[in-house]
Short mmCIF file of all heavy atoms in Angstrom, two decimals:
data_model
loop_
_atom_site.label_atom_id
_atom_site.label_comp_id
_atom_site.label_asym_id
_atom_site.label_seq_id
_atom_site.Cartn_x
_atom_site.Cartn_y
_atom_site.Cartn_z
N MET X 237 0.81 -1.24 -0.02
CA MET X 237 -0.02 0.00 0.03
C MET X 237 0.86 1.29 -0.05
O MET X 237 0.47 2.26 -0.68
CB MET X 237 -0.87 -0.07 1.20
CG MET X 237 -1.63 1.18 1.54
SD MET X 237 -2.17 1.13 3.19
CE MET X 237 -2.00 -0.67 3.54
N PRO X 238 1.90 1.27 0.68
CA PRO X 238 2.61 2.62 0.86
C PRO X 238 3.46 2.99 -0.29
O PRO X 238 3.69 4.16 -0.44
CB PRO X 238 3.48 2.40 2.11
CG PRO X 238 3.53 0.94 2.41
CD PRO X 238 2.65 0.28 1.38
N VAL X 239 3.90 2.14 -1.12
CA VAL X 239 4.85 2.51 -2.18
C VAL X 239 4.14 2.75 -3.51
O VAL X 239 3.49 1.84 -4.01
CB VAL X 239 5.97 1.42 -2.33
CG1 VAL X 239 6.87 1.84 -3.56
CG2 VAL X 239 6.79 1.27 -1.08
N ALA H 157 -7.07 0.66 -2.02
CA ALA H 157 -5.72 0.55 -2.55
C ALA H 157 -5.31 -0.85 -2.97
O ALA H 157 -4.60 -1.09 -4.02
CB ALA H 157 -4.73 1.08 -1.49
N GLN H 158 -5.78 -1.78 -2.22
CA GLN H 158 -5.44 -3.21 -2.58
C GLN H 158 -6.12 -3.56 -3.88
O GLN H 158 -5.52 -4.28 -4.71
CB GLN H 158 -5.98 -4.06 -1.40
CG GLN H 158 -5.22 -5.39 -1.34
CD GLN H 158 -5.42 -6.05 0.05
OE1 GLN H 158 -5.94 -5.39 0.89
NE2 GLN H 158 -5.04 -7.29 0.19
N GLU H 161 -4.25 -1.99 -6.49
CA GLU H 161 -2.99 -2.60 -6.69
C GLU H 161 -3.22 -3.91 -7.58
O GLU H 161 -2.44 -4.24 -8.50
CB GLU H 161 -2.42 -3.04 -5.41
CG GLU H 161 -1.00 -3.50 -5.43
CD GLU H 161 -0.53 -3.61 -3.98
OE1 GLU H 161 -0.76 -2.57 -3.22
OE2 GLU H 161 0.08 -4.57 -3.63
N ASP H 185 7.84 -2.34 -1.76
CA ASP H 185 6.66 -2.18 -0.90
C ASP H 185 6.65 -3.08 0.25
O ASP H 185 6.42 -2.68 1.41
CB ASP H 185 5.41 -2.47 -1.74
CG ASP H 185 4.13 -2.09 -1.11
OD1 ASP H 185 3.98 -0.88 -0.78
OD2 ASP H 185 3.29 -2.97 -0.78
N LYS H 189 6.57 -2.13 4.13
CA LYS H 189 5.46 -2.71 5.05
C LYS H 189 6.09 -3.38 6.26
O LYS H 189 5.54 -3.35 7.36
CB LYS H 189 4.65 -3.78 4.24
CG LYS H 189 3.62 -3.12 3.41
CD LYS H 189 2.81 -4.23 2.67
CE LYS H 189 1.67 -3.71 1.85
NZ LYS H 189 1.10 -4.69 0.94
S1 FES L 614 -1.61 -2.55 -0.78
FE1 FES L 614 -0.65 -0.76 -1.40
S2 FES L 614 1.21 -1.52 -2.06
FE2 FES L 614 0.22 -3.27 -1.36
#
Side-chain angles (χ1 to χ4, degrees):
Chain X
M237 172 196 341
V239 176
Chain H
Q158 206 161 349
E161 192 168 313
D185 190 61
K189 276 181 178 169

